[in-house]
Amino acid sequence: MAECAVNGDSDVLIRAEKFKEEANQLFKDKKYEEAVELYTRAIEANPKSSVYHANRSFAHLRLENYGFALEDASTAIACDKKYIKAYYRRASAYMSLGKFKPALRDLEAVVKVRPTDKDARMKYNACSKIVKQKAFEKAIACDDNKKPVSETINLENISESLGLYCSFYHPFSCMKLSRGLQNNIKKYLFIVKMIKTFIIKNNKIKGKNCRLSISLSVRYNPLCYQSPVKLSQKLDNKLTVCGDVHGQYYDLCHVFDINGLPSLDNPYLFNGDFVDRGSWSVEVILVLLGYKVLYPHNFHLVRGNHETDYMNQMYGFEGEVKAKYDGMMMQLFSEVFNWLPLSYCVNRKVLIMHGGLMEQDNVTLEDLRSIDRNRQPPESGLMCDLLWSDPQMQSGRGPSKRGVSCQFGPDITSKFLKHNELDYIIRSHECKNGGYEEQHNGKCITIFSAPNYCDQMGNKGAFITLRSPDLKPKFTQFDASIPIITISKKFHPEVQPMAYANSFMRM
């Protein structure tokens, strides 16, 4: 842990304070990266200030750099063990990383100092509830014979009385697309109807059997059993690659407005983080799964780090599913997420994954195929890296700013591509001001498709178009704007991001 140096130069201290004030204003303006830079300059001038470290920790939390946030908060506490805000910051970082017990210890320290602080008590109670829930889940998790919920659903009870819904979303229908053009037209019309219903009326799909069938069809889709999925793009055919959507349903529809609805001639690949944070995650995932059923060979989904139980519990998807449907539906979504591929390889030239490259050298595509992925991700290893790692400017590998996996430099990317005879990688996982970023001499591309992320970042969204034979990426940027299909004066209904998130994360 960093030592808190003492600097007695009054001019230096005044300059440090000025940096802090400027950083505070940038933070208020939601310019978090710029705020981090100025907080860093303030810390360089006065390393002993717990306030500067705690403030930078808060900015890192907004940037989802939970590892850095944890480090800064710990340094702030080392500088001043009585600085309560630093305990709040560290507890938030621990919670974001799924480390509930140390978070509870920090909040307990706050409550002891401020026993009448209602906010502190509320956060302590929220964290304590999670710790107890996790202990209970661990105690009952020893039942190895417990069947997946998808295997407990009686398929005979899914009645044809639902008409168009059931004719489209009957389980295993993705394996039976040869029933004729008329059936496919019905499926297509149903999808369009569902999109418009979600947008205009902000409704959920009626009928329990319908939504069960959507998920069951994808759960048993044989294409979900391969990873990396070998994807071949035919000459003159394009593939659209989208990054994080994060429950921003109206922006998803805007992508379809700009680029056309998915079809046999207009294939898509969505690169993880479909859900959480945004408050229309259910609508997003049902439309994406529906298109997967309709076009199993032309519509592709990659698992992201937010397609996991812990992230769903904290960042809103679980709460939204239970509010709009029920707990069994959440279990079914969890099973579907477990089976999603972790990566795609296009024409043996481009590898697409949500996070990035691995902590170890000489990893092959065959190594990635051998991953046992029908589970919740471990805290380390190839599966964890594919979901969580990030690129960095420096060569080599560095500690993760998120506190999970690692960061990898341009030399790591170059070695991996050469070892596997690939041209470049596409990944997502990070909000970019322009919606995308080319790094590592163009060999590592980040794509992010949630504009004005969480209604506060002001970033553009983007998607990539790849065409055979060279697969040279073409970028299309877009703003958070009114989708044509809505016929609405507002961008989206007045529901805030994180509306269904764990109460602690909303505080």
Side-chain angles (χ1 to χ4, degrees):
M1 189 170 294
E3 292 290 333
C4 300
V6 177
N7 193 326
D9 189 331
S10 59
D11 291 338
V12 172
L13 297 179
I14 291 172
R15 187 163 64 250
E17 190 66 13
K18 183 179 179 181
F19 287 142
K20 188 224 21 176
E21 294 300 328
E22 292 175 358
N24 286 351
Q25 185 58 52
L26 287 169
F27 186 94
K28 291 178 182 178
D29 294 338
K30 300 176 182 178
K31 298 178 179 178
Y32 303 118
E33 291 184 352
E34 293 94 329
V36 166
E37 292 178 5
L38 283 182
Y39 285 134
T40 299
R41 295 180 69 179
I43 289 169
E44 290 171 349
N46 182 13
K48 73 176 183 177
S49 172
S50 58
V51 174
Y52 299 169
H53 287 286
N55 285 7
R56 190 170 69 175
S57 176
F58 199 10
H60 277 308
L61 284 171
R62 290 296 175 89
L63 290 169
E64 303 179 20
N65 299 338
Y66 305 126
F68 288 173
L70 180 62
E71 181 180 350
D72 269 336
S74 295
T75 302
I77 292 170
C79 291
D80 183 359
K81 289 183 171 56
K82 295 182 180 180
Y83 189 53
I84 297 301
K85 282 188 178 180
Y87 290 92
Y88 276 129
R89 303 290 177 258
R90 192 165 72 174
S92 295
Y94 276 135
M95 288 287 285
S96 299
L97 291 169
K99 299 179 179 179
F100 305 110
K101 288 184 178 180
L104 186 62
R105 286 196 295 269
D106 278 343
L107 291 170
E108 186 176 20
V110 174
V111 169
K112 285 183 178 179
V113 174
R114 297 181 176 177
T116 60
D117 187 326
K118 292 183 180 179
D119 182 63
R121 177 61 64 179
M122 184 164 44
K123 291 179 179 178
Y124 174 81
N125 290 340
C127 185
S128 179
K129 182 178 179 180
I130 294 175
V131 170
K132 291 176 182 177
Q133 179 183 345
K134 291 295 179 183
F136 175 74
E137 291 173 355
K138 185 177 181 180
I140 65 174
C142 58
D143 185 3
D144 295 331
N145 296 319
K146 185 178 179 181
K147 285 187 176 181
V149 67
S150 58
E151 296 179 12
T152 67
I153 298 172
N154 187 345
L155 302 182
E156 298 299 324
N157 289 339
I158 298 183
S159 169
E160 295 297 329
S161 64
L162 288 174
L164 183 58
Y165 287 94
C166 230
S167 67
F168 178 18
Y169 287 124
H170 193 280
F172 317 113
S173 63
C174 58
M175 301 181 192
K176 302 176 182 179
L177 291 177
S178 61
R179 292 181 176 178
L181 178 61
Q182 184 177 3
N183 196 31
N184 276 352
I185 291 175
K186 286 183 179 181
K187 297 173 184 180
Y188 175 81
L189 292 176
F190 178 86
I191 278 279
V192 174
K193 180 181 178 181
M194 182 168 67
I195 291 173
K196 290 183 177 180
T197 299
F198 281 155
I199 293 177
I200 296 173
K201 297 182 180 180
N202 194 30
N203 276 350
K204 63 184 181 181
I205 293 180
K206 296 179 181 179
K208 178 179 179 181
N209 291 344
C210 169
R211 58 186 187 266
L212 289 177
S213 297
I214 292 173
S215 297
L216 281 171
S217 293
V218 177
R219 162 69 176 83
Y220 289 103
N221 186 334
L223 296 180
C224 289
Y225 287 78
Q226 310 170 46
S227 188
V229 176
K230 297 178 181 178
L231 184 59
S232 297
Q233 280 303 105
K234 298 178 182 179
L235 192 64
D236 295 329
N237 194 12
K238 71 173 184 176
L239 173 68
T240 299
V241 181
C242 297
D244 301 38
V245 178
H246 274 301
Q248 295 186 196
Y249 180 68
Y250 295 81
D251 293 308
L252 170 65
C253 292
H254 189 43
V255 170
F256 293 156
D257 284 338
I258 297 169
N259 196 57
L261 290 173
S263 69
L264 295 176
D265 297 323
N266 192 25
Y268 279 82
L269 185 151
F270 283 84
N271 195 25
D273 281 13
F274 324 121
V275 301
D276 279 338
R277 295 193 179 275
S279 295
W280 293 276
S281 294
V282 165
E283 289 79 359
V284 167
I285 194 61
L286 287 177
V287 167
L288 295 182
L289 293 182
Y291 272 120
K292 183 63 181 175
V293 173
L294 182 57
Y295 304 118
H297 297 278
N298 301 79
F299 194 86
H300 312 284
L301 301 174
V302 178
R303 189 179 189 177
N305 66 302
H306 276 265
E307 279 70 61
T308 56
D309 287 355
Y310 158 66
M311 301 299 279
N312 294 163
Q313 181 185 32
M314 298 303 296
Y315 290 95
F317 184 55
E318 180 179 307
E320 183 182 346
V321 172
K322 289 181 177 179
K324 295 179 178 180
Y325 295 122
D326 52 40
M328 186 183 74
M329 193 68 199
M330 185 60 226
Q331 293 179 55
L332 189 52
F333 277 131
S334 177
E335 290 180 24
V336 171
F337 292 161
N338 281 353
W339 280 111
L340 291 179
L342 299 173
S343 57
Y344 269 71
C345 188
V346 184
N347 287 14
R348 299 183 179 180
K349 290 185 175 184
V350 182
L351 185 67
I352 304 174
M353 77 289 279
H354 178 72
L357 297 182
M358 285 59 68
E359 284 194 276
Q360 63 190 74
D361 289 324
N362 301 319
V363 174
T364 66
L365 298 185
E366 191 58 38
D367 292 329
L368 301 185
R369 291 188 187 98
S370 67
I371 296 173
D372 176 18
R373 74 179 192 283
N374 181 23
R375 57 176 173 157
Q376 293 302 301
E379 295 184 0
S380 62
L382 299 182
M383 184 177 183
C384 176
D385 296 335
L386 287 170
L387 295 172
W388 279 97
S389 69
D390 294 291
Q392 64 179 18
M393 294 176 61
Q394 303 85 359
S395 294
R397 293 183 178 87
S400 171
K401 61 187 178 183
R402 302 175 190 267
V404 183
S405 185
C406 68
Q407 296 187 172
F408 58 95
D411 56 326
I412 304 300
T413 299
S414 179
K415 290 177 184 177
F416 177 83
L417 295 175
K418 184 177 180 180
H419 188 61
N420 288 282
E421 299 180 337
L422 297 167
D423 289 350
Y424 62 92
I425 64 171
I426 296 175
R427 41 92 61 183
S428 300
H429 197 39
E430 290 183 282
C431 178
K432 299 296 181 181
N433 287 335
Y436 73 95
E437 185 175 25
E438 296 180 272
Q439 296 171 273
H440 300 177
N441 299 314
K443 300 300 183 182
C444 176
I445 297 173
T446 297
I447 190 72
F448 193 82
S449 302
N452 194 26
Y453 182 40
C454 288
D455 285 357
Q456 67 175 8
M457 298 301 288
N459 60 289
K460 291 181 180 294
F463 55 83
I464 300 173
T465 303
L466 303 178
R467 289 187 182 274
S468 298
D470 60 358
L471 299 183
K472 182 178 180 181
K474 176 187 175 183
F475 302 98
T476 300
Q477 296 174 298
F478 60 96
D479 294 312
S481 58
I482 301 173
I484 298 170
I485 197 171
T486 63
I487 318 173
S488 172
K489 294 181 180 180
K490 292 184 178 181
F491 169 57
H492 60 60
E494 294 295 332
V495 180
Q496 295 298 315
M498 302 286 282
Y500 299 96
N502 180 274
S503 58
F504 186 94
M505 303 308 294
R506 297 198 302 268
M507 295 173 182

